[in-house]
Amino acid sequence: MENDSNCGCGTNGSCKGEQNSTCGCTNGSCEGEQKTASSDEGKHPPEMLALNEFSNVKNVIAIMSGKGGVGKSSVTSLLACGFRKKGFEVGVLDADITGPSLPKMFGVKGNPEQVAFGLLPLESSSGIKVMSVNLLMPVEDDPVIWRGPLLGKMVGQFWTDVVWTDLDYLFVDLPPGTGDVPLTVMQSLPLNGLIIVTSPQELAAMIVNKAIKMAKLMDIPILGLVENMSAAVCPKCGEEFQLFGPGHGKEISERFNIPFLGSLPIDPRLSTLCDQGRVEDYESSLFTDFIPQQIRE
Amino acid sequence: MENDSNCGCGTNGSCKGEQNSTCGCTNGSCEGEQKTASSDEGKHPPEMLALNEFSNVKNVIAIMSGKGGVGKSSVTSLLACGFRKKGFEVGVLDADITGPSLPKMFGVKGNPEQVAFGLLPLESSSGIKVMSVNLLMPVEDDPVIWRGPLLGKMVGQFWTDVVWTDLDYLFVDLPPGTGDVPLTVMQSLPLNGLIIVTSPQELAAMIVNKAIKMAKLMDIPILGLVENMSAAVCPKCGEEFQLFGPGHGKEISERFNIPFLGSLPIDPRLSTLCDQGRVEDYESSLFTDFIPQQIRE
C-alpha cells in the first residue's frame, strides 16, 4: 500500500489504519506505526500516532501588515511571548523571508532536526516552538524564487510535517503586504484569526479595508489591530511620546469596527534585545491582557 | 505672427523680438512686450522680458527617496529653510502628489495667480517661493491619473511658466521611489544635483545604487545622502537616541562614495510645526553648513 511523507508510517509499506487527509495512504488501513531512530527513544514515545494526532494546534493566528518595515515580526514575537507568560503552549511560524528572522530574535539557532515522524521545531528558552522558512532556505538563495506558490507549499508542509506537539496558539508571521503572496500563505494554513499591524507612515485605512476583504474571503475573524511605531520610548528619561502627532490606530479600529489591541512604541531596548536573541526578556504588558474572544482557549 | 502661452506677448499678436525656446513665437521677431492688467502695474514693471529672462534659477536640486513615508518632504522643506537662512534666494517645487503638501508645511494658501507673463508662485513668510502640483490638481481628482507623463508635463510647465524670478536654489520634491514616475519628472527639469533621503526601514544600499544609476543616466551629480528617522528627539529631556540600533547612513554613503549630509531625527516639534504651517520656525542646524561643492553658487 502506498504511503508518502505526510503519513507517519515510515518507509516499510506496512501501512494500516484509517485514511485521512494528513496521512497519504490510499488503501484506507494505515496503522501509523512510527519507525523511530533508537537515539530518539528516550525523547519520543515509540508508539506514534499519525502526524496530525501528534501535533495538536488549537488556534492558528496570522499577523499581517500593509508593507514591510512596520515591525510585524516584533509584534508576532511579542504576541508569542505575552501568551507564553500567561502559561499557554505557544509556537511561532516565520513565513516572512523579507523580514527579520524570528529564530534570531528568540536566540535559537541550528537546523531543525528531521525525525521519522516529522520535523522538530527549534525551541526558545521559555519553551516557545519556533519554525522559520529562513531555516530551510538554501544559503544565498534568491528570495525572488520564493514566490507565493512555493512559499505557500513550504508553509503548508510546516503545518503537516512539523511536530508542534500540543499548542494553544501558533502565531504566523506572514509575508508583508495584502497581495497574492501573503494570501497564498494564508490559504496554506487552517487559520483561526488575523491580526493587522499598521504604522503611521502608511494609509492604514486602505490596508485595513483590504485585510477585511481577505479575511472575509477566507471566513477568518479579524482579532484586532496593533499600531506600531507611532510612539517612541526615551531610553534616558523613559518618556513615551508620539512621533508624528497623535496616533490613529484607535480611530481606524473604531471606524472599521475591529478591536484595537494597542500601540507598540519604538523602544531601543526592544531592538537591542532582538539583536541579542533575547526578545523574551522584553518587558511589555501590551499583549498580556489580550485573549481573543472569538477563538477557543 | 504666432504666439502661445509660453511667450509673454499676450494675445494681440504684435510679437517681435528674438525667438527662443521659451517664447513660442515663430517669426523670430518677438519684442516680448508684456500686456499687464492695470491692477498689476504697481507690482510688476510694465516692461517685461521673455519669461526665461525673468526667471533666473541658478541651481535646481531634486530630492528623491526609495519609497514614500521617509520624510522626503520634510527634508526638502528644511533644505530650503536652511539655505534661505544663509541669505540665498530659494524656491521649492512640490512634485509629489502622494506626500504631504509643501505649501501646507510653509503655511501658504490659495491659488497661484496667473498673470500675463506666467504663473506667480506663492511666497512663504521668509520669502521662499513655493509651487506645488497639489495646488493645480482638481479637488478630489484621482491621483492615479497623474502618471509619469502627465506629471512630467505639469512639472515641465512649472519650469517654463512659473515666474520664479532670481533664485539661487530651487529644491524639487520628487515623487517617491526610483522608478518611472520620479524619473520622468527629473527629465522634465534641467537638474544640477540630486539628494537622496533614506530611512532605516528600507534597503538603503539598493536605493542608493538605483539613484546613482539614474543620476548617471542623466549626467547629474549626487550631492549627498540624508538619513531620516534613524533617531528621535525626546520632547521631555531633549535626548536624541537611535531608534533601531546604530544608523547606517554614514556607512552607506562611504560605501557608495557620496557625501553624507547628515541624519535628521524624528522630532515631534517638527511634526507639530509642519501641521501648523510653520516649518520655517524649526530650529535645525542640519543643512545650514551644507553648500554643495559641485554646483555653482
Side-chain angles (χ1 to χ4, degrees):
Chain A
M1 39 206 82
E2 291 177 358
N3 60 52
D4 65 15
S5 61
N6 283 338
C7 173
C9 299
T11 56
N12 75 342
S14 60
C15 178
K16 295 178 276 177
E18 285 181 12
Q19 176 190 354
N20 56 44
S21 60
T22 308
C23 171
C25 296
T26 55
N27 79 337
S29 56
C30 171
E31 259 183 344
E33 273 188 29
Q34 169 206 350
K35 306 280 180 284
T36 57
S38 52
S39 59
D40 288 323
E41 270 199 27
K43 294 185 203 167
H44 310 286
E47 183 189 0
M48 286 299 303
L49 301 171
L51 190 62
N52 69 325
E53 289 176 87
F54 191 64
S55 287
N56 183 18
V57 180
K58 288 188 187 160
N59 297 289
V60 186
I61 302 178
I63 294 91
M64 85 185 313
S65 70
K67 62 178 186 178
V70 302
K72 177 174 49 61
S73 301
S74 300
V75 171
T76 307
S77 302
L78 292 176
L79 274 165
C81 294
F83 276 61
R84 184 70 186 139
K85 283 179 187 146
K86 296 171 85 66
F88 291 110
E89 294 298 327
V90 171
V92 288
L93 198 167
D94 179 9
D96 182 7
I97 56 172
T98 69
S101 153
L102 260 63
K104 184 167 184 279
M105 292 166 82
F106 280 95
V108 292
K109 293 187 184 56
N111 293 320
E113 189 185 348
Q114 176 81 48
V115 294
F117 46 93
L119 203 58
L120 297 181
L122 303 175
E123 196 164 315
S124 76
S125 53
S126 75
I128 295 174
K129 310 285 195 297
V130 180
M131 183 57 72
S132 171
V133 293
N134 290 308
L135 295 171
L136 301 180
M137 274 178 65
V139 175
E140 303 298 333
D141 209 10
D142 185 354
V144 172
I145 290 172
W146 289 91
R147 290 193 200 92
L150 204 57
L151 196 58
K153 195 169 189 295
M154 174 172 264
V155 170
Q157 283 200 290
F158 277 359
W159 178 249
T160 55
D161 293 1
V162 169
V163 182
W164 296 104
T165 63
D166 290 331
L167 292 184
D168 298 301
Y169 295 96
L170 175 63
F171 296 99
V172 183
D173 189 14
L174 291 175
T178 52
D180 288 342
V181 177
L183 182 63
T184 305
V185 171
M186 285 167 71
Q187 289 169 330
S188 314
L189 297 163
L191 295 180
N192 300 93
L194 187 64
I195 290 174
I196 310 165
V197 179
T198 64
S199 80
Q201 301 306 98
E202 47 182 8
L203 288 167
M206 192 171 76
I207 291 154
V208 172
N209 212 12
K210 192 90 193 280
I212 287 173
K213 288 192 174 112
M214 290 168 82
K216 206 167 273 191
L217 193 78
M218 303 176 53
D219 197 28
I220 307 163
I222 291 191
L223 304 180
L225 183 144
V226 175
E227 182 176 48
N228 203 4
M229 302 190 183
S230 71
V233 179
C234 176
K236 187 173 178 187
C237 71
E239 173 87 346
E240 184 176 318
F241 57 96
Q242 294 297 314
L243 291 167
F244 307 105
H248 297 289
K250 200 167 189 350
E251 175 194 320
I252 293 277
S253 303
E254 281 165 9
R255 182 168 22 147
F256 288 92
N257 198 27
I258 57 180
F260 181 55
L261 304 179
S263 186
L264 181 66
I266 302 175
D267 187 340
R269 290 171 302 178
L270 175 60
S271 309
T272 304
L273 286 170
C274 287
D275 285 346
Q276 296 170 345
R278 294 173 49 207
V279 65
E280 288 161 301
D281 292 342
Y282 183 63
E283 294 289 327
S284 170
S285 60
L286 186 65
F287 301 119
T288 48
D289 298 323
F290 161 53
I291 296 287
Q293 294 305 316
Q294 299 96 315
I295 59 183
R296 59 190 186 284
E297 294 186 16
Chain B
M1 45 209 78
E2 291 176 0
N3 60 53
D4 65 15
S5 59
N6 283 337
C7 174
C9 299
T11 56
N12 73 345
S14 61
C15 178
K16 295 178 279 178
E18 285 181 13
Q19 175 190 354
N20 56 44
S21 60
T22 308
C23 172
C25 297
T26 54
N27 78 337
S29 57
C30 172
E31 259 181 345
E33 276 189 24
Q34 170 207 349
K35 305 280 179 286
T36 57
S38 51
S39 59
D40 288 322
E41 271 199 27
K43 294 182 201 166
H44 310 287
E47 185 188 359
M48 288 298 305
L49 303 173
L51 190 61
N52 69 324
E53 288 175 89
F54 191 65
S55 288
N56 182 20
V57 180
K58 289 186 186 161
N59 297 290
V60 186
I61 302 178
I63 294 91
M64 85 185 312
S65 69
K67 62 178 185 178
V70 302
K72 176 174 49 62
S73 301
S74 299
V75 171
T76 306
S77 302
L78 292 177
L79 274 165
C81 294
F83 277 60
R84 183 70 185 139
K85 283 176 186 149
K86 296 170 85 66
F88 291 110
E89 294 298 326
V90 170
V92 289
L93 199 166
D94 179 8
D96 182 7
I97 55 173
T98 68
S101 153
L102 259 64
K104 184 167 184 279
M105 292 166 82
F106 280 94
V108 293
K109 293 185 183 55
N111 293 318
E113 190 184 346
Q114 176 81 49
V115 294
F117 44 95
L119 203 58
L120 298 180
L122 302 176
E123 197 166 313
S124 77
S125 53
S126 75
I128 296 174
K129 310 284 195 296
V130 179
M131 182 57 72
S132 170
V133 293
N134 289 309
L135 295 171
L136 301 182
M137 274 177 64
V139 176
E140 303 299 332
D141 208 7
D142 185 353
V144 170
I145 289 173
W146 289 91
R147 291 193 200 90
L150 204 56
L151 195 58
K153 195 172 190 294
M154 173 172 264
V155 170
Q157 282 201 290
F158 277 1
W159 179 248
T160 55
D161 292 3
V162 170
V163 182
W164 297 104
T165 65
D166 290 331
L167 293 184
D168 298 300
Y169 295 97
L170 176 63
F171 295 100
V172 184
D173 188 14
L174 290 175
T178 51
D180 287 341
V181 176
L183 182 63
T184 306
V185 171
M186 285 166 72
Q187 288 169 330
S188 315
L189 297 163
L191 294 180
N192 300 95
L194 187 65
I195 289 174
I196 310 165
V197 178
T198 63
S199 80
Q201 303 305 99
E202 47 180 10
L203 288 167
M206 192 172 75
I207 291 153
V208 172
N209 211 13
K210 190 91 191 280
I212 287 173
K213 289 193 171 110
M214 290 168 82
K216 205 167 273 188
L217 192 79
M218 302 176 54
D219 197 27
I220 307 163
I222 291 191
L223 305 180
L225 183 144
V226 175
E227 182 176 48
N228 203 4
M229 302 189 183
S230 69
V233 178
C234 177
K236 187 174 179 189
C237 70
E239 173 87 347
E240 185 176 318
F241 57 96
Q242 295 294 317
L243 292 166
F244 307 103
H248 297 290
K250 198 162 186 0
E251 175 194 323
I252 294 278
S253 304
E254 280 164 10
R255 183 174 11 153
F256 287 93
N257 198 28
I258 57 179
F260 182 57
L261 304 179
S263 187
L264 180 67
I266 301 174
D267 188 340
R269 289 172 302 180
L270 175 60
S271 310
T272 304
L273 286 170
C274 287
D275 285 345
Q276 296 170 347
R278 295 173 49 208
V279 65
E280 288 160 302
D281 292 342
Y282 183 63
E283 296 288 328
S284 169
S285 61
L286 186 64
F287 301 120
T288 48
D289 299 323
F290 160 54
I291 296 288
Q293 294 304 316
Q294 299 95 314
I295 58 182
R296 59 189 186 283
E297 293 186 20

